[in-house]
Amino acid sequence: GQFLLIAWDGAKSEILLASDRYGLRPHYRRRLNGGVLIGASAQELARLEERPLKLDERSIFAMLSYSRVSPGGITWFEDFEALPPATQMIWSYGLLTEETRYWDYFGTPPQASDDAVDEIADAFRVAVCNSMDTGI
């Protein structure tokens, strides 16, 4: 089934995060100094911090490679991560202390150099602008 589990253990000051094997229930995570901010919406988390969201151009590379944003922890937004599919994480005092993958559907996410990501992002911008009949 589809699930995202977030459990707080107050006695240990630990957070357990776990996702289904396809990662169909999203969550967003942002590391902070000494902590971690977790929620179902990057927009809500950004609003809590009173900061704008910025597109992570690596997400375009992932989308074009897999027809979805992320086989791993990449999200559409810079500085925000997602729980990878089929993963369990334990956080203690804002630090990741354990990460376990229990199924490997995607294998290793593709890696691209910054130049390749920039080139793909620029081509995507031009295509969107052309399709909307606007300037870049």
Side-chain angles (χ1 to χ4, degrees), residues 45-111:
L45 297 180
R47 193 171 33 250
L48 285 173
E49 293 186 88
E50 298 179 350
R51 64 186 295 254
L53 290 174
K54 185 175 177 188
L55 177 68
D56 184 341
E57 294 179 348
R58 297 175 307 149
S59 64
I60 297 168
F61 178 82
M63 184 68 172
L64 295 173
S65 298
Y66 282 106
S67 297
R68 63 185 289 171
V69 173
S70 178
I74 299 170
T75 70
W76 287 113
F77 309 108
E78 278 188 9
D79 300 325
F80 285 89
E81 300 169 285
L83 185 63
T87 301
Q88 172 183 302
M89 292 180 169
I90 296 177
W91 291 77
S92 182
Y93 296 100
L95 299 174
L96 179 62
T97 59
E98 182 182 327
E99 181 173 353
T100 307
R101 298 282 308 261
Y102 63 85
W103 192 60
D104 194 7
Y105 178 76
F106 296 104
T108 304
Q111 300 298 314

Side-chain angles (χ1 to χ4, degrees), residues 30-50:
R30 183 161 140 60
R31 295 173 195 232
L32 303 171
N33 292 336
V36 61
L37 193 59
I38 301 168
S41 164
Q43 291 86 346
E44 291 173 9
L45 297 180
R47 193 171 33 250
L48 285 173
E49 293 186 88
E50 298 179 350

Side-chain angles (χ1 to χ4, degrees), residues 5-9 12-17 36 38 89-94 97:
L5 175 66
I6 302 174
W8 168 249
D9 182 339
K12 295 181 180 178
S13 294
E14 287 184 346
I15 298 171
L16 167 72
L17 301 175
V36 61
I38 301 168
M89 292 180 169
I90 296 177
W91 291 77
S92 182
Y93 296 100
T97 59

